[in-house]
Amino acid sequence: MIKVGVVGGSGYTGGELLRLLSIHPEVEVVWVTSRRFVGKNVSDIHPNLRRFIDIKFTNYKKENVDSVDLVFLCLPHTKSMEIVKDIYGEVKIIDLSADFRLKSPSTYEKYYTKHVCPELLKYAVYGLPEINREDIRKSSLIANPGCNSTAIILGLYPLTSLLEDKIVTIDIKEGSSASGRSPSISNIHAERSHTVRIYKPMNHRHLAEVKEVLGISNVSMSAHAVGMTRGVFATIYVFGDNIPSEKEIWKLYRSKYTEEKFVRIVNRKYPPYNLPDIKGVVYSNFCDVGFRVDKDNNRLIIFSALDNLIKGAAGQAIQNMNLMFGLEESMGLWYPGFLV
Amino acid sequence: MKLICPECGAEIILEDKPVENEIVECSECGAQLVVKQVNPEIILEVLEDIGEDWGE
């Protein structure tokens, strides 16, 4: 059994991670920390975990790291790096924050803040198995990708050879769980539900990951909050001359994803559900991708959908854990989502 | 018998040789394909797409 500790287990990502870990056949959750809820039962904060995670939240203590094989960090951006600095080399780490996703300290500083251990950035592997599987297996520090970044990168990855002279414009629609469990005015149900709100017209932090991982620069992104709890839907427009035919695009997607368990090409000719849909992926570790070629407008449109808390966070972290420990990659993750 | 979907390029495997005007479906992209010709070679064509109103 893999013994794991979870630092920062009271948020939505931590809760989803604990839910998935609790049913994983090769994992024992040894401790879960929360500064805010120390001493409380984990199931008092995550009631869905009653009878599955019967331990209390503790304070984070460095010496507790000795009791586990793997530490998950489910902390806000800029908090994780303090702990990684402290424990790197002593235990395997999967960091679900953005602190180790970018290779360049100056890019990190531009989008977040000054990095406290930039010398460790080169050891972190960007935890997107569909791209970095072999490096993940050998790594002891995984930077788990962002939810939007995962949707975008998986949507564009088969096309990277085409993108150099193209303009890429991304439209993101995201559910409320992506903004975390801390209350704010914009997250009150009355104000968040039944609306579409542009929350980041430009300079979204996840764009830095997209640019770095795909090696592209002509890319922009606008992100909208929509009235659903879970899910990320990316509509990606690629403009330029010489857009290939749909059959050629099929070939590119097949070359990358035919063997991938968690990426499904959803590109059927007729509706309904002929293209990715949030309904097809929520509560699962799948990312569905599809596309259309709009020849009249020199435009390729890519659609990518995933559950922000699973393939966009906790599920992907477990996929990474499985790889790091030599387990079947889909262990504990092989189930469909919920349609309704 | 192996055919190629004219829509997405996937292989379509049929147990028997199809007849003219038979409709076959591509399991990968779901396209409805009509057999326009069987001799000297089989030619498949994509049936017209359903409109945005889903036919309503």
Side-chain angles (χ1 to χ4, degrees):
Chain A
M1 293 290 267
I2 304 164
K3 294 185 172 186
V4 309
V6 177
V7 183
S10 66
Y12 290 139
T13 301
E16 194 66 356
L17 180 68
L18 289 167
R19 180 177 75 83
L20 296 173
L21 290 172
S22 75
I23 54 174
H24 192 289
E26 292 292 336
V27 168
E28 179 192 350
V29 178
V30 178
W31 47 259
V32 185
T33 81
S34 167
R35 277 194 305 191
R36 191 170 159 205
F37 297 110
V38 63
K40 273 191 173 294
N41 295 315
V42 169
S43 58
D44 290 342
I45 305 304
H46 300 298
N48 55 327
L49 300 182
R50 287 183 187 126
R51 296 193 182 175
F52 288 88
I53 301 280
D54 290 326
I55 56 178
K56 293 179 189 300
F57 287 113
T58 59
N59 265 319
Y60 168 73
K61 289 180 189 156
K62 190 187 173 186
E63 55 266 33
N64 288 346
V65 166
D66 296 340
S67 63
V68 295
D69 307 302
L70 170 67
V71 171
F72 288 98
L73 301 175
C74 302
L75 296 169
H77 309 313
T78 75
K79 303 290 180 201
S80 280
M81 56 187 172
E82 305 276 356
I83 291 180
V84 173
K85 188 180 178 189
D86 212 25
I87 65 173
Y88 178 75
E90 296 178 27
V91 68
K92 291 185 177 181
I93 303 166
I94 297 179
D95 178 19
L96 284 85
S97 85
D99 286 356
F100 291 87
R101 291 177 192 161
L102 301 171
K103 288 287 170 223
S104 155
S106 59
T107 310
Y108 183 84
E109 190 167 345
K110 178 182 168 191
Y111 284 90
Y112 297 92
T113 185
K114 196 168 175 60
H115 208 284
V116 300
C117 45
E119 70 281 4
L120 295 182
L121 288 173
K122 62 176 178 286
Y123 300 116
V125 171
Y126 192 73
L128 194 54
E130 290 76 10
I131 294 183
N132 291 330
R133 183 166 286 115
E134 293 314 310
D135 289 338
I136 292 166
R137 287 187 212 277
K138 292 178 275 186
S139 178
S140 61
L141 173 57
I142 297 296
N144 215 59
C147 52
N148 296 318
S149 323
T150 299
I152 296 164
I153 293 168
L154 290 177
L156 286 173
Y157 178 50
L159 309 172
T160 40
S161 60
L162 302 174
L163 297 177
E164 200 174 313
D165 60 344
K166 306 287 190 296
I167 293 171
V168 180
T169 304
I170 302 158
D171 177 294
I172 288 284
K173 296 173 186 75
E174 190 161 46
S176 58
S177 58
S179 53
R181 211 174 181 182
S182 303
S184 70
I185 287 176
S186 60
N187 269 349
I188 297 167
H189 178 263
E191 302 193 27
R192 173 72 195 235
S193 59
H194 304 291
T195 190
V196 176
R197 180 180 302 140
I198 177 83
Y199 76 90
K200 199 71 182 170
M202 61 189 110
N203 300 327
H204 195 292
R205 289 165 162 181
H206 287 177
L207 202 51
E209 294 170 44
V210 172
K211 287 179 176 178
E212 200 172 278
V213 172
L214 294 177
I216 57 175
S217 53
N218 289 338
V219 55
S220 58
M221 164 178 167
S222 298
H224 304 77
V226 300
M228 59 189 183
T229 309
R230 282 174 178 251
V232 170
F233 194 98
T235 307
I236 307 168
Y237 305 100
V238 178
F239 292 96
D241 295 330
N242 306 316
I243 299 286
S245 70
E246 208 153 295
K247 214 192 279 187
E248 288 167 321
I249 304 289
W250 261 107
K251 213 179 274 182
L252 293 170
Y253 275 81
R254 283 194 188 108
S255 73
K256 294 296 182 195
Y257 294 147
T258 299
E259 303 297 322
E260 288 297 342
K261 279 196 161 178
F262 290 115
V263 182
R264 301 182 295 201
I265 304 170
V266 178
N267 204 56
R268 311 276 292 174
K269 191 157 175 61
Y270 313 113
Y273 299 123
N274 53 333
L275 289 164
D277 189 310
I278 291 294
K279 283 283 187 190
V281 293
V282 282
Y283 300 100
S284 81
N285 195 51
F286 290 100
C287 177
D288 286 355
V289 294
F291 48 86
R292 285 291 188 267
V293 173
D294 178 8
K295 280 275 183 203
D296 291 348
N297 297 298
N298 292 328
R299 184 173 68 142
L300 165 62
I301 319 166
I302 296 132
F303 310 97
S304 180
L306 54 75
D307 183 309
N308 55 299
L309 293 178
I310 303 187
K311 184 58 176 166
Q316 185 134 272
I318 288 177
Q319 206 179 334
N320 284 321
M321 175 193 75
N322 288 340
L323 288 168
M324 291 169 94
F325 286 87
L327 302 174
E328 164 58 39
E329 188 173 330
S330 61
M331 188 178 281
L333 296 169
W334 193 245
Y335 51 83
F338 302 162
L339 183 62
V340 291
Chain B
M1 163 167 289
K2 279 185 192 171
L3 302 172
I4 299 295
C5 173
E7 179 76 6
C8 74
E11 272 189 2
I12 298 171
I13 296 173
L14 299 177
E15 279 188 19
D16 304 308
K17 190 176 179 184
V19 295
E20 219 167 275
N21 295 322
E22 186 175 340
I23 306 290
V24 297
E25 185 179 296
C26 172
S27 61
E28 194 139 333
C29 72
Q32 300 279 312
L33 307 166
V34 62
V35 180
K36 294 299 282 186
Q37 176 189 297
V38 289
N39 287 314
E41 57 177 350
I42 295 171
I43 294 178
L44 299 175
E45 270 185 17
V46 179
L47 275 177
E48 197 181 326
D49 204 349
I50 299 170
E52 279 180 11
D53 60 359
W54 298 6
E56 287 170 14

